[in-house]
């Protein structure tokens, strides 16, 4: 009897030892104007493939790199291939969100100085003038190429990191990786099952203290989690805070009553675009949008600190309200 | 051996493992370290139990780090945006990042969360 019990424990301990031998490959990359942290279990070599792919997308989609397709597009050239395809997807998300997400806000972003180290509040006349260049009608999509008109300029910053997460996921699918955790400047991709078998525990940044989590989302398997928040890039002028998420309709930072929106979805590009759009919409319209597009889950944090979640979110470590389906 | 003994043994083992896994991050007693990376290269490992100031000079600029009361903070930086300075003093959790200077400070203390979206 005693010998049998000992044998069971030895066998179970051997199993446990086997579980802990899986090593993690980790790497930080500075790309897409942010820090990208990669962790991969089960296939150390795939981390190099991920790095190469992210750096390729950075070169392709940068608004400042003179050799990028987006830079050339913004300077009067026609571009095709992957940049055109992604722009087409961005237009689709823009139409789905009634223009709340709009890749053509770049003239406004430049006007406010969010592309530079110093920001300022533009004159209303300048905003009015820049607004005349905003709108996806200024993107001319034709077969496999795209051009811009009316002095428009595009910035895929609101979708590029989510798209990069999707590309990384495809690379991981083709590898021997069993699990991965990617953070693309706060856009998180969980992939596979953690080596210890536990679900992923992803915090949602506290808008008042972004270094800390205000809530925890538990995720099993693969998912993209993207947060858009007013705390991410902002500046203060005459006692008022101005953030970087501009309302394409007004040209001013969105004042929708939301401090952040986190979208959880299978598709990273969609989660990226929707998080911005829902932030601009405000809670009421965003919930209505979710009710009509039940392809994602979301967590909303209001300016006064309330947390509201869709029913499919496994949320903990906070008090929250669940919206009706 | 009786089936019941098997079940009890396996159940006990699973409970012990689950409890250990759940409690591990909370059992950390402090006194951890911070690893300082400049442009992806580990340039310094700081013992957070020893107070002191450390100047990190990289190709892109300088950052002054201060360890005090078991926590690390960036107190001065040559970068323009100052995001790293605004990061609260920390001993665990999300890394402190200075993008313009390509500086990343990671904490070795076990984290309760896998990542923070935001």
């Amino acid at each position: 009897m005693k010998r049998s019990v000992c044998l069971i424990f030895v066998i179970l301990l051997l199993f446990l030892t086997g579980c802990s031998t899986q090593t993690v490959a980790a790497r930080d990359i500075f790309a897409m104007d942010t820090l990208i942290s990669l962790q991969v279990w089960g296939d150390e070599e795939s981390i190099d493939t991920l790095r190469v792919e992210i750096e390729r997308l950075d070169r392709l989609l940068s608004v400042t790199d003179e050799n990028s397709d987006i830079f050339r597009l913004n300077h009067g050239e026609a571009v095709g291939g992957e940049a055109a395809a992604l722009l087409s997807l961005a237009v689709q998300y823009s139409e789905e969100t009634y223009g709340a997400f709009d890749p053509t806000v770049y003239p406004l972003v430049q006007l406010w100085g969010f592309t530079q180290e110093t920001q300022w509040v533009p004159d209303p006349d300048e905003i009015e003038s820049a607004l005349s260049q905003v709108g996806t009608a200024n993107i001319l999509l034709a077969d496999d190429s795209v051009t811009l008109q009316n002095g428009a300029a595009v910035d895929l910053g609101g979708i590029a990191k989510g798209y990069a997460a999707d590309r990384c996921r495809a690379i991981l699918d083709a590898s021997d990786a069993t699990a991965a955790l990617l953070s693309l400047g706060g856009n998180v991709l969980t992939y596979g099952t953690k080596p210890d078998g536990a679900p992923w525990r992803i915090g949602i940044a506290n808008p008042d203290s972004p270094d800390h989590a205000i809530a925890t989302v538990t995720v099993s398997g693969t998912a993209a989690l993207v947060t858009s928040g007013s705390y991410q890039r902002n500046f203060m002028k005459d006692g008022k805070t101005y953030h970087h998420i501009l309302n394409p309709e007004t040209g001013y930072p969105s004042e929708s009553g939301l401090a952040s929106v986190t979208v959880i979805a299978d598709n990273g590009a969609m989660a990226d675009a929707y998080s911005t759009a829902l932030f601009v919409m405000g809670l009421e319209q965003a919930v209505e949008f979710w009710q009509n597009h039940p392809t994602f889950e979301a967590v909303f944090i209001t300016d006064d600190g309330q947390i509201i979640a869709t029913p499919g979110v496994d949320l903990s470590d906070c008090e929250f309200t669940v919206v009706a389906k | 051996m009786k089936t019941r003994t098997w079940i009890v043994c396996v159940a006990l083992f699973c409970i012990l493992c689950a409890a250990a896994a759940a409690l591990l991050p909370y059992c950390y007693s402090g006194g951890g370290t911070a690893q300082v990376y400049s442009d992806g290269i580990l340039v310094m490992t700081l013992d957070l139990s020893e107070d002191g100031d450390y100047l990190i000079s990289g190709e892109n600029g300088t950052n002054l780090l201060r360890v005090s009361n078991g926590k690390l903070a960036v107190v001065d930086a040559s970068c323009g945006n100052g995001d790293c300075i605004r990061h609260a003093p920390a001993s665990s959790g999300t890394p402190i990042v200075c993008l313009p200077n390509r500086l990343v400070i990671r904490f070795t203390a076990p984290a309760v969360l896998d990542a923070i979206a935001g």
Side-chain angles (χ1 to χ4, degrees):
Chain A
M1 166 70 185
K2 278 183 182 172
R3 215 169 61 178
S4 302
V5 172
C6 287
L7 188 67
I8 292 166
F9 272 99
V10 168
I11 292 168
L12 289 172
L13 280 170
L14 282 174
F15 274 115
L16 195 65
T17 311
C19 289
S20 64
T21 53
Q22 200 168 46
T23 55
V24 59
R27 182 162 300 172
D28 287 337
I29 306 166
F30 288 97
M32 298 183 158
D33 289 328
T34 192
L35 173 71
I36 295 176
S37 300
L38 312 173
Q39 290 175 270
V40 178
W41 287 264
D43 186 348
E44 291 184 33
E45 288 174 11
S46 64
I47 208 162
D48 283 324
T49 315
L50 296 178
R51 177 185 58 79
V52 169
E53 178 65 359
I54 289 166
E55 290 175 347
R56 181 188 73 81
L57 291 171
D58 193 18
R59 288 193 299 274
L60 183 78
L61 305 173
S62 166
V63 284
T64 53
D65 182 344
E66 292 183 9
N67 297 311
S68 82
D69 277 10
I70 297 301
F71 185 92
R72 293 194 295 111
L73 178 66
N74 285 344
H75 289 79
E77 291 185 39
V79 301
E82 194 172 4
L86 185 56
L87 199 53
S88 175
L89 189 63
V91 170
Q92 179 195 316
Y93 291 141
S94 182
E95 288 169 354
E96 284 176 7
T97 60
Y98 317 109
F101 167 75
D102 192 327
T104 67
V105 292
Y106 191 52
L108 286 165
V109 174
Q110 285 179 300
L111 189 61
W112 282 85
F114 284 115
T115 54
Q116 303 166 38
E117 281 191 2
T118 312
Q119 293 85 41
W120 54 85
V121 181
D123 291 334
D125 289 349
E126 292 177 302
I127 289 175
E128 202 59 41
S129 172
L131 274 174
S132 69
Q133 299 169 305
V134 173
T136 52
N138 292 320
I139 301 174
L140 305 177
L141 296 161
D143 296 330
D144 186 32
S145 75
V146 59
T147 52
L148 301 175
Q149 66 175 7
N150 191 31
V154 295
D155 179 4
L156 291 176
I159 189 174
K161 288 194 281 289
Y163 176 71
D166 291 336
R167 293 291 310 134
C168 288
R169 179 181 174 170
I171 288 168
L172 291 166
D173 281 342
S175 76
D176 292 327
T178 56
L181 183 65
L182 279 52
S183 174
L184 299 92
N187 282 23
V188 176
L189 174 74
T190 63
Y191 180 86
T193 304
K194 274 168 69 174
D196 63 3
W200 301 99
R201 286 172 55 80
I202 309 300
I204 294 178
N206 184 339
D208 294 328
S209 174
D211 312 326
H212 301 99
I214 194 171
T216 303
V217 178
T218 302
V219 178
S220 295
T222 302
L225 297 92
V226 182
T227 300
S228 289
S230 55
Y231 58 87
Q232 288 163 337
R233 264 186 295 161
N234 57 35
F235 67 97
M236 195 171 262
K237 175 79 176 168
D238 299 332
K240 183 175 166 66
T241 302
Y242 297 88
H243 63 79
H244 76 292
I245 305 175
L246 303 175
N247 185 329
E249 217 168 281
T250 66
Y252 285 85
S254 172
E255 292 184 353
S256 65
L258 291 173
S260 81
V261 176
T262 300
V263 171
I264 304 146
D266 283 339
N267 186 307
M270 185 189 82
D272 209 352
Y274 279 10
S275 67
T276 304
L278 300 185
F279 183 94
V280 171
M281 287 179 191
L283 183 61
E284 194 175 327
Q285 201 182 336
V287 169
E288 194 178 317
F289 180 84
W290 168 78
Q291 287 165 335
N292 294 322
H293 299 78
T295 53
F296 65 93
E297 301 294 338
V299 180
F300 307 95
I301 301 175
T302 61
D303 284 337
D304 59 3
Q306 292 181 62
I307 302 174
I308 299 106
T310 54
V313 183
D314 187 352
L315 200 61
S316 58
D317 301 333
C318 67
E319 287 183 12
F320 62 99
T321 308
V322 178
V323 298
K325 281 190 180 177
Chain B
M1 194 168 72
K2 285 180 183 175
T3 309
R4 206 173 65 178
T5 312
W6 275 91
I7 292 169
V8 169
C9 288
V10 172
L12 264 175
F13 184 81
C14 290
I15 290 166
L16 281 172
C17 287
L23 292 174
L24 194 61
Y26 300 97
C27 293
Y28 185 69
S29 59
T33 59
Q35 295 177 325
V36 183
Y37 294 85
S38 178
D39 218 353
I41 297 165
L42 179 66
V43 293
M44 197 179 279
T45 299
L46 297 173
D47 184 342
L48 299 182
S49 64
E50 293 177 15
D51 289 1
D53 285 358
Y54 305 89
L55 185 68
I56 308 296
S57 299
E59 275 185 26
N60 304 295
T62 58
N63 297 74
L64 181 62
L65 318 186
R66 178 165 296 158
V67 176
S68 176
N69 298 323
K71 293 189 173 182
L72 186 149
V74 179
V75 293
D76 194 22
S78 63
C79 63
N81 61 22
D83 283 347
C84 53
I85 297 171
R86 281 193 289 275
H87 195 294
S91 58
S92 64
T94 54
I96 299 176
V97 181
C98 177
L99 271 181
N101 292 352
R102 296 193 163 218
L103 183 87
V104 180
I105 302 162
R106 290 192 173 282
F107 301 100
T108 55
V112 176
L113 295 171
D114 294 306
I116 291 186

